[in-house]
Amino acid sequence: MGQAMIEFHEVTKQYQGGQPAVDALTMSIAEGTITVLVGPSGCGKTTTLRMINRMVEPTSGTITVAGKDVTAVPAAELRRSMGYVMQSAGLLPHRSVLDNIATVPRLNGVSRREARKRAEDLLDVVGLARTLGGRYPSQLSGGQQQRVGVARALAADPPVLLMDEPFSAVDPVVRDELQQELLRLQKDLAKTIVFVTHDIDEATVLGDQVAVFAVGGKLAQYAAPEEILRAPANDFVAGFVGRDRGFRHLGFTASDGVTFHPVPTVIRGADGHSSDPNAADGWQLVVDGDMRPLGWATPGTDADLIPGGSLFHPGESLRRALDAALSSPSGLGVAVDADGRVLGAIRGPEILALIEQARQARQAAVQAAR
Ligand code: ADP
Ligand code: MG
């Protein structure tokens, strides 16, 4: 991993007497990584995040960003130099989506024209249709608003992105989409992202490193997610991670053993009609001329094209393989290569058997370690 981008040294925050909200925090956050701060409500996550951009000032200790003490930079300037996304996207209700995204570049002196052009590009980046640019925030779904929030945070191309429970208010399906989108984005952008959540699953999906906070603002464990699931540092972390962490661990279990089966396909031409080279009774995968999946068809229904489920890419976890199978109307998951071309079908019962094997192997390993 890269060198340190953000460093906390013995940082304490005490609001007004009483217990510290953050207690003698020392931690180093590597450049270009996603670091997730996770823990129960009230354990000091938001306070920690806000001390990075001086929305909150520490009582004692020092914080450096790119080697520079944050108190050496005027607070307003520091704030604008970092992207910030919060739970309610915090969009200005009377400004269009484009103007919301363009806010910080405009404050930085970028011309309106330039800022709006960049805002339009950012709609693509976060997976929103450009036609949404003219709408007002209230005309968007919760998930769309969060995407606008992310676009706005990226608008000035800041090296650091601070995200405070940005996906907590959307439903689980949208949340999963937003998480995958963030991971996809991060592959290209390689920002230093500090992400706050109370959800251990979200933390382990997103984090290169996960910092588990205990009540009283104490850092209980700071490690890679696999390490935290495999070897919780103490009873608090073990309890927080949960009893069923054996299953969560499968999120990291490689899917090498998954078998790709031949799948009956029909090719859809430019005229919208399907040719049917190998007509079969059951489900058929409809593909384009390049063998990219378009959806499913089944004889005996009027439906022309039934939307498919999530796609599976080799190298992903068993959990995602199972997702692909369970979300597919045919019960067959579709595996595709890096270009999106069909590799074959994957079957739910086979994936479940692999999951069971992995679970047993893990249990045996845990027992051997006792
Ligand atoms: P989290 O984000 O993990 O839920 P916070 O950082 O918001 O936790 O809060 C940590 C502790 O500090 C809590 O006990 C909270 O009540 C207290 N706290 C947070 N903000 C303030 C504030 N502005 N004034 C006084 N106490 C605060
Ligand atoms: Mg909070």
Side-chain angles (χ1 to χ4, degrees):
M1 252 169 231
Q3 59 193 92
M5 180 67 163
I6 303 170
E7 288 185 282
F8 289 85
H9 185 69
E10 290 288 314
V11 173
T12 293
K13 175 65 185 183
Q14 201 138 12
Y15 281 105
Q16 54 258 11
Q19 250 202 346
V22 176
D23 193 0
L25 175 65
T26 296
M27 71 184 283
S28 175
I29 291 172
E31 184 174 5
T33 62
I34 301 182
T35 299
V36 180
L37 315 181
V38 67
S41 173
C43 68
K45 305 179 297 292
T46 294
T47 300
T48 300
L49 192 74
R50 291 183 168 196
M51 287 192 291
I52 298 172
N53 71 356
R54 293 186 64 194
M55 286 165 81
V56 171
E57 303 281 1
T59 309
S60 61
T62 52
I63 300 167
T64 61
V65 175
K68 202 166 171 186
D69 191 326
V70 292
T71 56
V73 185
E77 189 182 318
L78 191 74
R79 239 162 271 163
R80 265 186 278 157
S81 75
M82 299 180 199
Y84 193 86
V85 188
M86 38 191 183
Q87 180 173 333
S88 58
L91 303 174
L92 301 167
H94 303 298
R95 289 209 186 155
S96 71
V97 164
L98 277 189
D99 285 338
N100 264 286
I101 298 172
T103 305
V104 171
R106 292 287 289 134
L107 287 172
N108 287 339
V110 175
S111 75
R112 187 176 151 88
R113 224 180 95 97
E114 268 298 298
R116 285 178 65 102
K117 191 182 165 307
R118 164 118 181 104
E120 279 186 336
D121 293 341
L122 279 165
L123 287 176
D124 300 339
V125 171
V126 299
L128 288 174
R130 285 188 175 220
T131 50
L132 296 181
R135 295 212 191 154
Y136 291 96
S138 63
Q139 297 172 306
L140 304 183
S141 71
Q144 288 171 332
Q145 288 185 30
Q146 288 310 118
R147 286 173 194 261
V148 175
V150 173
R152 184 180 55 173
L154 290 172
D157 199 20
V160 174
L161 214 53
L162 308 176
M163 307 182 81
D164 194 352
E165 309 233 9
F167 308 148
S168 292
V170 296
D171 72 62
V173 174
V174 173
R175 181 190 264 211
D176 190 58
E177 275 173 28
L178 290 170
Q179 289 168 355
Q180 293 307 318
E181 191 83 11
L182 182 66
L183 289 174
R184 188 186 62 71
L185 266 178
Q186 172 68 351
K187 268 191 196 156
D188 300 333
L189 300 178
K191 301 283 183 192
T192 304
I193 299 178
V194 188
F195 188 107
V196 166
T197 180
H198 61 267
D199 175 355
I200 186 69
D201 282 333
E202 184 163 74
T204 55
V205 165
L206 292 178
D208 295 304
Q209 292 282 301
V210 173
V212 183
F213 281 71
V215 183
K218 286 192 163 54
L219 183 58
Q221 187 169 9
Y222 185 35
E226 289 155 279
E227 170 91 7
I228 287 181
L229 296 179
R230 188 172 50 75
N234 52 43
D235 287 351
F236 170 78
V237 178
F240 186 70
V241 161
R243 266 171 288 123
D244 57 342
R245 65 178 185 270
F247 178 73
R248 288 188 173 130
H249 191 79
L250 294 171
F252 301 98
T253 305
S255 54
D256 306 342
V258 176
T259 307
F260 300 154
H261 298 276
V263 55
T265 54
V266 289
I267 299 165
R268 167 150 307 190
D271 58 1
H273 288 286
S274 304
S275 65
D276 200 355
N278 45 0
D281 293 338
W283 288 94
Q284 294 178 308
L285 183 65
V286 183
V287 295
D288 70 11
D290 289 325
M291 283 301 282
R292 295 192 178 89
L294 298 171
W296 290 89
T298 179
T301 66
D302 292 340
D304 184 33
L305 186 66
I306 300 160
S310 62
L311 298 173
F312 172 74
H313 302 82
E316 289 179 333
S317 63
L318 282 176
R319 207 190 217 183
R320 294 204 73 80
L322 188 60
D323 269 356
L326 295 182
S327 63
S328 170
S330 67
L332 294 174
V334 179
V336 295
D337 66 15
D339 295 322
R341 293 170 213 262
V342 175
L343 291 169
I346 57 179
R347 294 184 177 154
E350 293 176 2
I351 300 161
L352 281 168
L354 289 170
I355 288 176
E356 179 59 16
Q357 268 174 31
R359 193 188 64 77
Q360 284 174 7
R362 189 182 134 67
Q363 210 162 34
V366 168
Q367 259 147 22
R370 285 221 172 102

